[in-house]
Amino acid sequence: MKRRSWQEYQKEIADDHYYYARSCIRQNFFPGSEKAFIDILTNDLGKDLLDDPKHSSCTGIGYHSDIVPLETIMTVVARQFSLMNEAGYENFVTSCITSFGIYTEILATWHEFPETEEKTRENLFKATGREFRKPANVAHTSDVMFHFRDEIAARAKHRLVNAVTGEPLRVVEHIGCHYAKIFPKSGIGGSEFPYVLAGMIESWGGEVVDYPERRHCCGFGFRNYLVQANRGYSIANSHKKLESMAPYKPDFIVANCPGCAMFLDKWQYAIAEMEGTTYGQNGHGIPVLTYEEMAGLVLGYDPWALGIQMHQVDVEPLLDKMGIEYDPAAKYLGRNGKYIGKPESAVVNCCPTDTIYDIRE
Amino acid sequence: MKKRIIVIGGGVAGMQTALRLAEQGIEPVIVEKEPELGGKLRGWHVLFPTFTPAEQVLTDLRRRINERGIEVMTSTEVVGLEPRSVALADGRRLTCDSVVLASGSTLFDASIKEEYGYGIYDNVFTSADLERMFNEGRVAKADGSAPRRIAFLHCVGSRDEKVCQQHCSKVCCVTGVKQAMEMKRLFPEADVFNFYMDIRMFGPGYEELYREAQQSYNIHFVRGRISEASPTLEGRVQIKAEDTLTGRPLRMSVDMLVLLIGMRANDDNARLADGAGLQRARSGFMAPRDLFLGNVASNVDGIFYAGTVTAPKTIGESLNEATAAADAAVRYVEA
Amino acid sequence: MGKYFDMLMEDVRMREGLNACMNCGVCTGVCPAAEFYNYDPRQIVSIVQSRDDEAIEALLKSDTIWYCGECMSCRPRCPRGNTPGYVIQALRTLSQKLGFFVESEKGRQQLALKRIIGENILRTGYCIVPRLVKPELHPEQGTVWQWIYDHDKEVYGQFSPSYMRHGAGALRRIDDESLAEINRIFEVSGGSEMFETIEKHSDRKAREMGYEEGADQQYMMDVFTTNSNEHY
Amino acid sequence: MTFYAPFCLPFILGAAVMFLTLAWKWGKWLWLLPRRDKMRLLRGLPTRRTLQAVGEVISESLLHRRIFRVNPLLGYMHMSLAFGWFLLIAVGWIETIAYLGFRYVPLQGHVFFKYFATGLAHKPVFDQLMDLLLLFVLSGVALAWGKRFYSRAMGLKRTTKHVLGDRVALSALWFIFPARLVAESTTCAIYGGGGFLTGGIGGWMADHIGIMPLLTMESVAWWFYSSCLGIFFVALPFSRYMHIFTEIPLIFLRRYGIRSGEKESSFDNFQVEACSRCGICIDPCQLQSVLGINDVQSVYFLRDRRYNHLRLQVADNCLMCGRCAERCPVDIDLNTLRLNSRDTMHNVPDERRYGYFKGVDRSSGEGKVGYFAGCMTLLTPRTLSAMTTIFEAAGEEVWWADREGGVCCGRPLKLAGETDSARKMMKYNAELFRKHGITTLVTSCPICLKVFREDYDLPGIEVLHHSEYILRLIRAGRLKLEHGSTRFTYHDPCELGRGSGIYDEPRAVIEAVGELFEPASTRENALCCGSSVANTAISDGQQVQIARSVATELEATGAEVIVTACPLCKKAIGRGTQRQVRDLSEIVAASIK
Amino acid sequence: MAAINFGYTISKPRVIDLDRNNLRKSDEILREMPELQTCIGCGACTAICTAGNLTSFNFRRVHTLVRRGEYQGAYEEMNKCMLCGKCRLVCPRGINTRGVVMLIKRKLGDF
């Protein structure tokens, strides 16, 4: 891709000392990714990061479902900043695209409409007695990962290349609407050709695949997924994206936003069950990774430690392609290393792990 | 001694201004930053609405400049002006009795509208590219094959706050219609779509041209601005828009996407204006003293405007305005 | 004339989101909702900027304003610097404030969202927790999710030392003091009031619709699952 | 005496084919007549209508009275051929009887009597009479030849373009009488006798040609004559000459009150095949005279319909102004036939259509007089305000019938052939009118008027065009008008004039307010404005062309103001002239004291 | 398959997809009536429309959709038209709108 313009959208990313805000969806569906992010930053890169137990959800999902008023979410956000101040940090990193959107948007609103900031300070003080200072820097966790992409590349145990042919893996990236569509300047590469994931992919040896519906929403649409009656919309959007990317034969999808990663994974299952359409090699789905998982794999983390077993679409074919060694038998082990049973196999699942477990059982 | 007036810019407006000045016994000097006269006209193929070859107009103007023996300084950039002198980039200062600023405007850089992928996707072109291709006689997709479906997008870099171009560039509508017809002539089997918000056919014969494009050329006009362009596996360009007349989103892939780029104010307008105390409009174009009774005069006595330095204009309008500007300048120096 | 428009304009999102629309359709061209619903953000903006009270009231009571997925794809493209998504947010907020949301099928779903997401926020400090994603209500989450759901402590335990317990880490239990702060924030900033408004109007509508117990669990499940299929 | 020679064979075969075909066709058509029409026929037979029909057959089928009205020379041509031939047959019959007394003579005996009667003593009276009649017919043939070359002499700018079958029959017909002349003359040359014509030519031939060649010639001539007859007879039922025999039953059936309707019926066959393709309908057609469209006129429409190759483009491209029907010598109900063809082509019975009429009625109020402005009138608001002024001045309590809840009258759909859909509108509006208890229904649109009068079931409601209504108000003294000096000319709307027979009322109204100047084509001959809703084929530009030509005629009267009484005509003519164009109501409203 | 009751189905796209739409009928219509292509979308026809003032029938929208190859429902929509012909009188491009209605009905009647 001849994207040069990303360089015009450079944003300030702090080098160290991050106040980390977790994501509701990421910790629900990709707890391993959050763990991996912290591990990579602190262990591999030796950075300082605070995982503060007192912070809460930004309530962004509630806000975008229109049940949480703007004033309320502003105050919740203000509380997060206050916690950060309290802990002595000023670089806010959030693990969620919705949150990232919320933080940048609220900071911009406070700037544009100062009376809203005043009101928020008032509300926060009234409710909690807290005050706050705005962060020096707000970044999404992927921004930080992008920031250190070369350091990670230097430590790479695996590259995003086919271990057999040496060809770069074909990667489809999905950015998540709220990363840069709200404020193009707040995303690396802007809103049209975001470079945050592409930069990692290229640094780590992969090839980014552009396709017609690249910029399209995964279809979460908040109330559109959260209410069962509306899910036809949600699945239809992912369906549209999958149909559009399938002819490019991507080796995997990497998503910036935890929700998108979950949906692009789960909807492949639902589409297969609903209408029999399957994607990917042999119809066993296109693996979907979070960028933390992608980075973890590159750095040689154990796939199961990254939580890849929590995906509906099996990632093993990708691991095989990358030449990553893993223990198939360790996939479904509980926290003490004991086998806890395995999920039912679905159309999109391919790995003949059944036999292994059948033997174990 | 003959009065001397410096004409900054050697495009159609500058050339016509100089010719008119010479006719009235003034000694004009054309200062042009490019190596040759002609300005934007050098890049055009045929002119709307008559399909007159641009070359024909250009050749005639150049011939008359030669015949009159008008002094022309090419490859010379102006960095500042005053009513009685012009400063050049090489440090020289030319003195004169008055200045006509005919420095024109700049074509909008389509790559700024990232969502259309100009410079990124092979088959996205600008109207200026297309004119060049017409002139070179090689109109084709990037791979050299003939297009079967072509889309034109109006208002690229015009009427768009996102790129700080709120003004209408005036000529792109009719250019889009003209180019669509030219494409249809070259590729009669191709489907041609024009995506527009308003079709502004303000000039004589323009509306007729539009109608002919619709009825005789079967060019499809879709009211809706293209939202984004993306590549397809076959190297085509997929575009999305709303067909606003039906209120439904529309998607299609095309072999060529042509962006009808607008005119924007020259970047050096700001510097020239600041130096000379000239006023600029919000759009960045120079602001005439008065839009009705003094539209070729600036707010500074002795500095006059001709052509698109004040706003987007057609070739014909620029020529007319050049005459008016020259006359105003003559009245000034002879007063 | 313009009563609702003025009310909308009290919302900063309206002031940010609506300048002057020229109906170019760029927003609709990329809008995911326009593709799958009988929905056209351009027309919404167009109606709102008409300041026609009758038309805006009809809008506030319609399904139309509830289709948007708030992905904000419209925002970076608008040549007039509008954000139809913000206008929608303002409309939705007003529709709930005025109790108009219960007049449409999609609007009534706000009750389900309030009860599922809203109450969860106050209870846990998170929008979503694993126990909320019940496999029977989320069949699309698939077989692996069922497995995770059934063995949550085992699975999450591998990645978080404090799953459903106090301390740092994924899905930790948030301490009571923090939860109390969140709750007070909702009290002070209008969040709780919004919840009550949603409950109040839903209850009224439920009774109007013949639910004798008002907006009970049955009503909530009905709004959660009902799709008249008249939205396309 | 034997009445047979080999040359008779072509004639005998031809005549047999013809009569059998005729019998088959008539039989089938009569058999397939709807029951109601059959009853009309049976009830009509023993009445005076039968006699009237006989009279009409003589005046039209033989004498061609109506064609005389178009052009005397053309009338003479048709009469000489038809009536002349008829007399030849009739007098020939009498001649046979005169010679042979009452005895059976086979058909060919009558027809070729001259050939068989050579041995009999001559009766010069008959010889002379028959020659005179032959000359009469031959003069018609000569004119027919002449018409091919110079039709204008007979008042026709254009003649019909015929199909191949017609050309064969026509050629045979042209040769029948010259062949008879030669055959009879040759026989006279050999055997003597004959009148001034055949005898004269025969004598000349006897003097100049030897007997052997004459004998050969005689044989050839009679063979040729018989062959021409045979060919003509075979071609007749399949060509335009079918009209000769079809017009007769048509006249009878019509006298018995049988008509074509909005659906095709067996009776239509009598009308369709009664067309002689004389081409009189071509000239009055403005599509022809103004636009040069020359394949859609009634003659071609009927021809195409008869041979089952009617195309939509032909059926749909007609203004239905009725100018052709006004001139048709056979009085064929051209508009109705075209309408029922359109019905066949376009009508789709579909119960679901216009289901939305349920619930569109928002009407209220009552009034003795209902005013149905008509869709088009809504585009001529001056007419509306003029009508308001008139109603107020006359103190009329009016219920505005199509202001809230009224739908289109249905005539446009009917004209487009969508008969069943049109019925839905008629039913809806009729119910609406009844609901509001009106006793008079006034409309400003002649299109609506026609359908209200002809297709609506409105018992107890009198339907008036506003011209009639206004005249009544004037006559009743409810409107006091100022007579001024303005010079008006009046354009007869097709649907009002030819369509509904209203010519005098608008004129009387105009004369009450000013001076009236008649244009060159007026009343029954009035031109169509060109924007007729019956035509969905011509373009906007073509409509304007017609409007211009109409306006030119109206302007030529020197009038200051062009008046019409139809909103569509007003709109249309307004596009073709710089003069003022006003609806009748406007000039009345402006003249109220 | 279908063993699981999801409680919803994948929504069908409403997008006018000119890559998928079959434009044959649309081309035929434009060939028979090229003037239809001169529509400037002013909406005068729709504003004046008798049927359009009683129902949601929108002539401009329907014929535009037909030109884009969206035939679904167009025939049924056109059947709401009463052919009164006011639209023809107001069309600034002089399009034979009644003819368009008849033509579209004829071309799409067999759908």
Side-chain angles (χ1 to χ4, degrees), chain B residues 22-76:
Chain B
E23 265 173 36
Q24 308 204 30
I26 302 284
E27 182 197 334
V29 182
I30 299 177
V31 184
E32 168 60 51
K33 70 170 185 285
E34 297 293 324
E36 58 173 352
L37 290 178
K40 300 282 181 299
L41 198 54
R42 289 180 303 153
W44 300 161
H45 176 235
V46 295
L47 305 178
F48 56 78
T50 51
F51 295 91
T52 305
E55 186 62 33
Q56 190 180 311
V57 176
L58 187 56
T59 311
D60 200 56
L61 284 169
R62 282 180 179 158
R63 179 182 55 75
R64 283 150 61 187
I65 296 275
N66 274 335
E67 282 172 8
R68 286 254 168 205
I70 291 170
E71 184 185 349
V72 178
M73 302 170 70
T74 51
S75 304
T76 310

Side-chain angles (χ1 to χ4, degrees), chain A residues 329-346:
Chain A
K331 187 172 181 184
Y332 300 116
L333 302 184
R335 68 195 140 148
N336 300 323
K338 73 167 199 296
Y339 176 62
I340 54 169
K342 64 180 172 60
E344 237 178 275
S345 195

Side-chain angles (χ1 to χ4, degrees), chain C residues 40 59 64 100 123 153 171:
Chain C
D40 187 346
L59 203 56
T64 317
F100 291 163
R123 202 167 49 236
K153 290 203 173 70
L171 294 167

Side-chain angles (χ1 to χ4, degrees), chain A residues 29-287:
Chain A
F29 296 97
F30 306 102
S33 291
E34 291 204 336
K35 182 171 189 297
F37 179 79
I38 297 171
D39 289 349
I40 291 171
L41 244 68
T42 52
N43 302 341
D44 293 69
L45 302 169
K47 303 292 174 188
D48 166 45
L49 174 146
L50 178 70
D51 180 12
D52 183 357
K54 283 192 277 190
H55 83 278
S56 69
S57 163
C58 73
T59 70
I61 293 174
Y63 173 69
H64 284 296
S65 301
D66 303 279
I67 52 161
V68 173
L70 180 59
E71 293 73 17
T72 303
I73 193 168
M74 279 181 173
T75 316
V76 172
V77 163
R79 177 179 176 269
Q80 312 275 68
F81 290 158
S82 172
L83 290 171
M84 177 187 71
N85 303 149
E86 208 173 77
Y89 284 81
E90 54 180 12
N91 300 323
F92 199 89
V93 286
T94 168
S95 167
C96 168
I97 291 295
T98 301
S99 297
F100 177 69
I102 292 286
Y103 291 115
T104 45
E105 186 177 340
I106 286 175
L107 286 170
T109 310
W110 286 343
H111 179 75
E112 189 80 13
F113 303 97
E115 71 275 15
T116 57
E117 186 181 335
E118 275 317 299
K119 182 75 194 161
T120 306
R121 288 185 184 281
E122 207 179 287
N123 283 340
L124 182 67
F125 189 78
K126 216 157 114 191
T128 66
R130 290 174 178 277
E131 291 178 348
F132 73 96
R133 284 188 316 280
K134 286 184 257 183
N137 184 286
V138 173
H140 185 244
T141 42
S142 62
D143 293 333
V144 177
M145 198 75 93
F146 172 85
H147 196 57
F148 297 121
R149 67 193 187 284
D150 294 331
E151 284 86 333
I152 293 171
R155 292 170 171 77
K157 302 257 182 346
H158 302 281
R159 285 171 56 75
L160 300 176
V161 294
N162 187 314
V164 178
T165 63
E167 294 279 311
L169 292 179
R170 298 168 61 75
V171 189
V172 156
E173 30 125 39
H174 180 83
I175 295 301
C177 296
H178 289 189
Y179 176 66
K181 282 182 182 172
I182 302 179
F183 294 100
K185 292 220 163 21
S186 68
I188 294 161
S191 68
E192 302 300 341
F193 295 97
Y195 194 63
V196 60
L197 297 184
M200 294 183 215
I201 296 163
E202 286 173 6
S203 294
W204 303 340
E207 182 196 347
V208 181
V209 174
D210 198 358
Y211 67 105
E213 299 298 346
R214 172 174 55 82
R215 288 169 273 206
H216 198 79
C217 172
C218 70
F220 177 21
F222 302 97
R223 67 192 323 283
N224 282 296
Y225 174 75
L226 297 171
V227 177
Q228 191 187 55
N230 307 342
R231 283 180 201 152
Y233 161 92
S234 226
I235 187 171
N237 278 295
S238 278
H239 181 250
K240 176 175 162 169
K241 285 187 75 77
L242 291 163
E243 287 288 325
S244 174
M245 71 173 74
Y248 293 81
K249 299 193 176 19
D251 291 304
F252 70 98
I253 300 167
V254 60
N256 200 21
C257 170
C260 305
M262 184 266 281
F263 284 116
L264 288 169
D265 180 42
K266 302 293 169 63
W267 287 133
Q268 290 193 58
Y269 158 80
I271 291 165
E273 298 296 328
M274 275 185 182
E275 56 170 34
T277 310
T278 52
Y279 303 95
Q281 269 178 344
N282 308 322
H284 291 302
I286 306 168

